[in-house]
Amino acid sequence: MPDIFINYRTGDEEGTATLIERELSRRFGSERVFRASKSIEAGQRFPEALITAVRRSSVLLPVIGSRWVDARSADGGRALDNPEDWTRREIIEAFESGALIVPILVDRAPRLQRAELPSALAGLADHQYRRLDLRDADADLTRIANDLADLVPQLAAVDHQNASDDQRRSAEDDDPRYHGVQIRAHEIRSRQRGGIGNLAGGFSGTFVSESSGPVHTGSGDQYTAPRFSGDGMGVTYIAGKHSGTLRTDVDNRRRPEDGAR
């Protein structure tokens, strides 16, 4: 289940809600960030999915743009005054579950005032907000993610692990030993097809590619039976580790199919 629930209103900064969700998913993992259009699978009953996700989340982020307070519902009334409005219902569920609520004010959206909110939502104005200026989105999104990592222990643990993994990968990228392996592996991929092998370190094992005959990689004997379809009938014999000379005895008689000339 998610740790972070993205609360937003369609028609008011839903694109920004997507931006926030993607950045937090990159930082903490997609499964930890809930956004309705991404997280509710086809065929699921969305009312149950929304309520369950809110109740199990540690953080709710209401994304608030300039039209959020005065947005209208289908009947023409103010959406926030409608008890069935899902943006309102999600926030009230977060109040009741004790989740951390951090309003995200987008661009020039004004700070919320208790007097302009319905009584059920008036407490939202008392929560410290963060502002997301889309002209400086990278810095503001980083600040929001840092805040969540500082405030929520399970997000801090994930963030620490991801940072450690990034440092390890960075160290490997800077280590010439790993660069060598990557270059050689690239060369093998570009020139070799098929085969079996042991590619480790400086390729200290055995690599066999596109073998068309018997293959023996041990330290014992190898016998290759005669072939009558190619040049040079005979037997190849390899004994031991073969540190000496390899000889092939060839019978130079014509192949039966050559006929007499």
Side-chain angles (χ1 to χ4, degrees):
M1 294 302 295
D3 294 306
I4 304 168
F5 189 102
I6 308 295
N7 168 268
Y8 66 96
R9 181 177 298 287
T10 301
D12 181 74
E13 301 297 344
E14 66 266 37
T16 304
T18 300
L19 176 67
I20 295 170
E21 178 266 310
R22 288 180 177 174
E23 174 58 21
L24 296 181
S25 293
R26 184 197 64 79
R27 179 85 172 257
F28 302 115
S30 181
E31 73 284 358
R32 294 182 176 274
V33 186
F34 184 98
R35 180 173 58 85
S37 58
K38 177 202 78 171
S39 303
I40 300 178
E41 297 179 356
Q44 276 191 293
R45 293 176 57 84
F46 77 87
E48 289 87 345
L50 288 171
I51 296 301
T52 299
V54 173
R55 289 175 177 174
R56 294 185 178 180
S57 294
S58 301
V59 181
L60 182 130
L61 303 181
V63 180
I64 299 172
S66 59
R67 298 179 296 275
W68 190 85
V69 171
D70 295 321
R72 300 290 152 173
S73 59
D75 62 5
R78 193 172 71 153
L80 288 179
D81 295 326
N82 181 359
E84 299 303 315
D85 176 63
W86 273 106
T87 301
R88 167 185 167 134
R89 290 180 65 181
E90 290 164 6
I91 295 171
I92 292 174
E93 286 290 340
F95 283 153
E96 294 177 352
S97 68
L100 174 69
I101 300 177
V102 183
I104 306 298
L105 304 185
V106 181
D107 284 339
R108 298 179 180 275
R111 181 172 179 173
L112 297 175
Q113 303 296 324
R114 293 179 66 93
E116 64 186 3
L117 298 174
S119 58
L121 297 179
L124 187 61
D126 298 333
H127 288 255
Q128 180 61 44
Y129 63 90
R130 286 288 179 258
R131 190 170 294 279
L132 174 56
D133 187 338
L134 296 178
R135 294 170 299 180
D136 197 18
D138 288 345
D140 288 346
L141 287 170
T142 297
R143 182 188 184 193
I144 291 168
N146 288 343
D147 286 342
L148 296 181
D150 289 341
L151 293 168
V152 183
Q154 58 266 37
L155 294 180
V158 172
D159 198 40
H160 178 73
Q161 181 60 53
N162 290 342
S164 297
D165 291 343
D166 289 342
Q167 290 174 357
R168 176 182 54 79
R169 285 190 290 267
S170 178
E172 291 177 357
D173 289 343
D174 293 338
D175 191 327
R177 293 176 299 173
Y178 289 97
H179 282 289
V181 171
Q182 292 170 356
I183 293 170
R184 289 192 291 273
H186 173 74
E187 291 172 352
I188 290 295
R189 285 197 298 269
S190 64
R191 296 202 300 263
Q192 303 289 342
R193 297 179 304 155
I196 58 174
N198 175 17
L199 306 182
F203 302 121
S204 60
T206 301
F207 187 89
V208 180
S209 178
E210 298 295 331
S211 172
S212 59
V215 176
H216 175 59
T217 62
S219 59
D221 300 339
Q222 172 174 308
Y223 297 92
T224 302
R227 295 186 56 168
F228 296 98
S229 59
D231 294 331
M233 297 181 297
V235 176
T236 300
Y237 172 75
I238 301 174
K241 296 185 179 179
H242 189 60
S243 59
T245 304
L246 175 64
R247 297 185 55 190
T248 302
D249 294 327
V250 179
D251 188 336
N252 291 321
R253 291 175 298 177
R254 291 192 179 92
R255 300 187 303 275
E257 62 267 24
D258 287 343
R261 291 183 184 275

